[in-house]
Amino acid sequence: MMYNHILIRYGEVSTKGQNRKQFLTRLRKHILHVLADFPSILIEQTRDRMYIHLKGEDPKPMIPKLQEVFGIQSFSLALKVDSEMDQIKEAALKAIEEFDQPEKTFKVSARRSDKQFEFDTNGINHEVGGHILRNTTNLTVNVKKPDINLRVEVRTEATYIMCFDYPGAGGLPVGSGGKAMLMLSGGIDSPVAGYLSMKRGLEIEAVHFHSPPFTSERAKQKVIDLAQKLVKYGHKVRLHVVPFTEVQQAVHKQVPENYTMTSTRRMMLRITDKIREQEQALAVVTGESLGQVASQTVESMYAINEVTNTPIIRPLIAMDKTEIINIAREIDTHDISIRPYEDCCTIFTPAQPKTRPRREKVNRYEAFYDFEPLIDEAVRNTEVLEFTSETDMTQKETVAVENDLF
């Protein structure tokens, strides 16, 4: 059957008030971006629906692309006709003929937003359903659990006929919630945290800490591959690769071993916060899950958070590891994350890390050494890589940013 439209339902965006237009503008922009390979299409935006005019384009390749756009609750391939009963009946019959098979059941679900239309919803159901029964041989009616739910939406401008709903990604359009810095390790958790943050409307820039020669180029490539996986949800991800060797070595030289993990996380957060400031982001996202490792106890997070007043967003904080792994598999980051290349968090892990560190102690240990010059140098020498859906990777620059921070 030749469909001529795709009807998109907003879901949570529909609950927005005066700022709804901003959300819909971003959603429309993202849809146009993922469907850039289909230049003939046009998008019509209304308060409670969005319509893609196919203009002869094949909709099937568009389906998986639209399912990855945050802000779409569901969508349907639709046949648009004039709001005249004869045209509606013929279009409905044409739509359902491909399902005309033995033992198949259907029902008609009418929705009439145009109250001037001559039939009410029950009348539409009766007229359309009767026409289908008279002109098919294998279909029967089942109003409770039908195989096919034929939807008829009578709107002011036209009527739309649909047989199947595709689930969308839900959430809010990326960028509608501002920008945040994702602390991206090579593990399972942080890419999932990035994905869930993007689902809530955040635009993400990632920060990764690289400690050569203790961490290899393969470990760095693993993080690059993870960042590229997130691109399809946000269409652009910048990755800041921080040279962390000198900072990490200074921590292990100056801080008692059982506090090195706490101090290392504090240094990472201080660096991320400086990059956040120069990138004009408003929050930091981490992949922490409460109690999963020593640095993710409440006491550890309390000691680590002291170095910034920036909001720390932890999407995974109350999730079990199995839940996180399931999401990682769904978004296709799991197999990358389990590659056996260690990051800087694992290679320097002390034998007995402090699970209940005290702020006053870590502050005293760090007070014997001025870490600020090393932190500033790491920020200045951060390598920035940019990933888009159009190109695999563009190395934008090795930044030497000098601003009011230094």
Side-chain angles (χ1 to χ4, degrees):
M1 175 185 169
M2 181 59 71
Y3 293 98
N4 53 25
H5 284 71
I6 297 177
L7 184 149
I8 293 173
R9 304 173 189 87
Y10 303 143
E12 189 174 349
V13 176
S14 300
T15 65
K16 302 302 175 183
Q18 295 181 351
N19 60 347
R20 180 187 297 198
K21 185 177 180 181
Q22 300 172 23
F23 287 85
L24 295 182
T25 298
R26 285 191 176 273
L27 177 58
R28 183 177 183 276
K29 179 181 177 181
H30 291 171
I31 292 172
L32 284 171
H33 187 94
V34 301
L35 299 184
D37 293 336
F38 307 92
S40 299
I41 64 168
L42 294 174
I43 297 182
E44 178 186 354
Q45 176 182 315
T46 67
R47 180 174 176 79
D48 58 348
R49 292 286 189 274
M50 197 173 284
Y51 304 95
I52 301 176
H53 300 245
L54 294 174
K55 300 291 185 179
E57 297 276 11
D58 182 4
K60 291 182 180 179
M62 302 181 193
I63 293 171
K65 295 177 180 290
L66 290 173
Q67 287 183 307
E68 294 172 348
V69 177
F70 291 129
I72 296 178
Q73 186 68 26
S74 66
F75 61 94
S76 303
L77 305 184
L79 187 60
K80 178 183 178 181
V81 297
D82 293 335
S83 294
E84 297 179 0
M85 184 52 74
D86 287 343
Q87 290 194 37
I88 293 172
K89 290 193 292 187
E90 289 306 312
L93 178 61
K94 186 184 299 185
I96 210 167
E97 278 179 340
E98 61 182 302
F99 302 101
D100 187 7
Q101 301 170 15
E103 299 182 3
K104 286 286 185 180
T105 61
F106 80 100
K107 78 169 183 177
V108 179
S109 299
R111 179 181 177 185
R112 185 187 64 151
S113 59
D114 180 8
K115 302 306 179 184
Q116 303 302 314
F117 189 67
E118 57 183 323
F119 294 91
D120 62 13
T121 55
N122 288 331
I124 297 169
N125 291 340
H126 179 77
E127 288 288 324
V128 174
H131 184 72
I132 291 172
L133 286 173
R134 288 191 295 270
N135 290 276
T136 57
T137 57
N138 296 306
L139 294 174
T140 57
V141 174
N142 184 333
V143 297
K144 292 185 177 181
K145 292 183 179 180
D147 297 316
I148 308 122
N149 184 12
L150 181 72
R151 301 174 66 162
V152 179
E153 289 199 10
V154 180
R155 307 183 69 82
T156 304
E157 73 282 0
T159 294
Y160 298 87
I161 313 294
M162 298 154 284
C163 286
F164 185 77
D165 296 342
Y166 294 92
L172 299 170
V174 172
S176 61
K179 183 162 72 171
M181 309 304 295
L182 168 67
M183 297 179 71
L184 182 64
S185 70
I188 293 173
D189 300 344
S190 56
V192 175
Y195 164 81
L196 293 176
S197 299
M198 295 166 83
K199 187 173 183 178
R200 297 311 304 160
L202 285 176
E203 177 188 348
I204 289 298
E205 292 198 19
V207 179
H208 176 67
F209 294 89
H210 187 48
S211 294
F214 304 105
T215 56
S216 67
E217 285 301 309
R218 288 184 175 182
K220 177 181 173 182
Q221 184 61 48
K222 180 167 76 166
V223 174
I224 289 173
D225 292 344
L226 289 171
Q228 288 177 311
K229 286 294 182 181
L230 295 176
V231 167
K232 64 181 178 181
Y233 302 103
H235 319 311
K236 181 178 75 171
V237 172
R238 298 179 81 218
L239 173 63
H240 303 256
V241 183
V242 179
F244 197 54
T245 308
E246 291 189 17
V247 177
Q248 200 161 14
Q249 286 178 321
V251 167
H252 281 262
K253 182 178 180 180
Q254 300 296 326
V255 177
E257 184 182 21
N258 61 345
Y259 267 83
T260 55
M261 178 177 290
T262 302
S263 185
T264 298
R265 296 296 194 278
R266 284 162 60 99
M267 299 303 160
M268 287 178 170
L269 188 53
R270 288 172 65 179
I271 291 171
T272 301
D273 204 35
K274 290 201 171 192
I275 297 173
R276 173 205 63 78
E277 188 172 346
Q278 67 187 34
E279 296 300 325
Q280 299 182 325
L282 299 176
V284 174
V285 177
T286 76
E288 292 166 308
S289 174
L290 187 60
Q292 188 178 121
V293 295
S295 65
Q296 296 176 22
T297 63
V298 170
E299 293 86 353
S300 289
M301 287 187 279
Y302 179 73
I304 294 167
N305 278 17
E306 184 188 22
V307 301
T308 182
N309 292 321
T310 300
I312 309 296
I313 298 172
R314 298 178 170 95
L316 313 184
I317 195 67
M319 284 191 179
D320 293 337
K321 190 67 176 185
T322 52
E323 295 176 285
I324 299 168
I325 290 173
N326 288 339
I327 297 174
R329 288 192 171 117
E330 289 174 10
I331 65 175
D332 199 25
T333 59
H334 176 269
D335 289 351
I336 299 173
S337 294
I338 62 174
R339 292 176 189 169
Y341 310 124
E342 295 182 317
D343 59 31
C344 63
C345 296
T346 55
I347 58 173
F348 284 95
T349 301
Q352 293 182 320
K354 199 74 173 176
T355 59
R356 295 183 177 180
R358 296 170 61 183
R359 274 186 176 183
E360 59 271 22
K361 282 193 173 183
V362 72
N363 278 318
R364 181 161 59 87
Y365 298 146
E366 292 175 1
F368 292 106
Y369 188 85
D370 185 7
F371 288 96
E372 197 66 23
L374 291 180
I375 290 173
D376 290 346
E377 183 180 2
V379 173
R380 279 195 298 270
N381 293 318
T382 293
E383 179 186 16
V384 182
L385 308 174
E386 186 170 298
F387 311 91
T388 68
S389 53
E390 288 85 13
T391 57
D392 289 337
M393 182 184 77
T394 302
Q395 183 167 333
K396 300 296 289 183
E397 55 187 334
T398 300
V399 294
V401 180
E402 295 184 13
N403 54 27
D404 293 340
L405 293 173
F406 311 125

